[in-house]
Structures are given as C-alpha cells and as structure tokens.
C-alpha cells in the first residue's frame, strides 16, 4: 500500500508539474507502481497474504469467545 500511495503522489506531482518531480522521467515516476505489483505478487506467492488473513480471523474468533465467556460470568481463560 505504501508503494501505491507513493506512486499516486508522484504521478499527481508530475502531472501538475510541481517541484522537482516535474523534471523527472516518467520511468522514475511510475516505478512505485511496478514495485507495488512486485510486492503483491510476492505476498500472494509466499502465502504472506493468507497468513495475515488467518491471523486476523483467529484474533476476531478469540475476541468473540472471550466476550461470550465474560458475559456468561466464566471469566477469561489465559492462554499459555
């Protein structure tokens, strides 16, 4: 996401001819988009995206369990 944001900012600066970016080549301005594509490709290939999604799901599941136990008055079990 960082590369995408940086690319959008640089693209806007180049288009509006703002600052030193107006003098840069288009290759330099568009390179963050290529880096974003490379990052997303690696993240999907390596399983990083799936692992992060599973972690978020497990955290939400544990929060629901803890909330239910608290509402039932059973207290929260501490995980080891």
């Amino acid at each position: 996401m960082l590369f995408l944001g940086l690319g959008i900012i640089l693209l806007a600066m180049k288009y509006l001819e703002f600052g030193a970016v107006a003098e840069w080549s288009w290759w330099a301005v568009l390179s963050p988009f290529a880096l974003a594509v490379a990052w997303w490709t690696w993240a999907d290939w390596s399983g990083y995206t799936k692992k992060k999604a599973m972690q978020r799901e497990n955290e939400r599941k544990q929060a629901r369990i803890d909330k239910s136990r608290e509402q039932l008055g059973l207290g929260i079990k501490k995980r080891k």
Side-chain angles (χ1 to χ4, degrees), residues 1-77:
M1 221 38 196
L2 177 67
F3 291 130
L4 186 60
L6 180 63
I8 290 170
I9 291 169
L10 290 176
L11 185 62
M13 289 175 73
K14 176 74 172 177
Y15 180 75
L16 297 172
E17 297 180 358
F18 182 77
V21 178
E23 303 296 322
W24 293 3
S25 71
W26 278 102
W27 289 108
V29 172
L30 297 176
S31 63
F33 293 111
L35 292 172
V37 169
W39 166 257
W40 286 328
T41 302
W42 174 82
D44 287 342
W45 172 80
S46 69
Y48 179 80
T49 305
K50 185 69 171 174
K51 184 172 80 170
K52 287 295 185 181
M54 288 174 56
Q55 284 177 346
R56 283 191 306 271
E57 182 63 31
N58 288 338
E59 288 170 1
R60 286 198 317 247
K61 179 181 175 183
Q62 190 61 44
R64 282 194 314 267
I65 291 170
D66 292 344
K67 182 179 176 185
S68 295
R69 284 185 177 157
E70 193 173 307
Q71 288 175 346
L72 291 172
L74 299 176
I76 299 174
K77 275 189 177 178

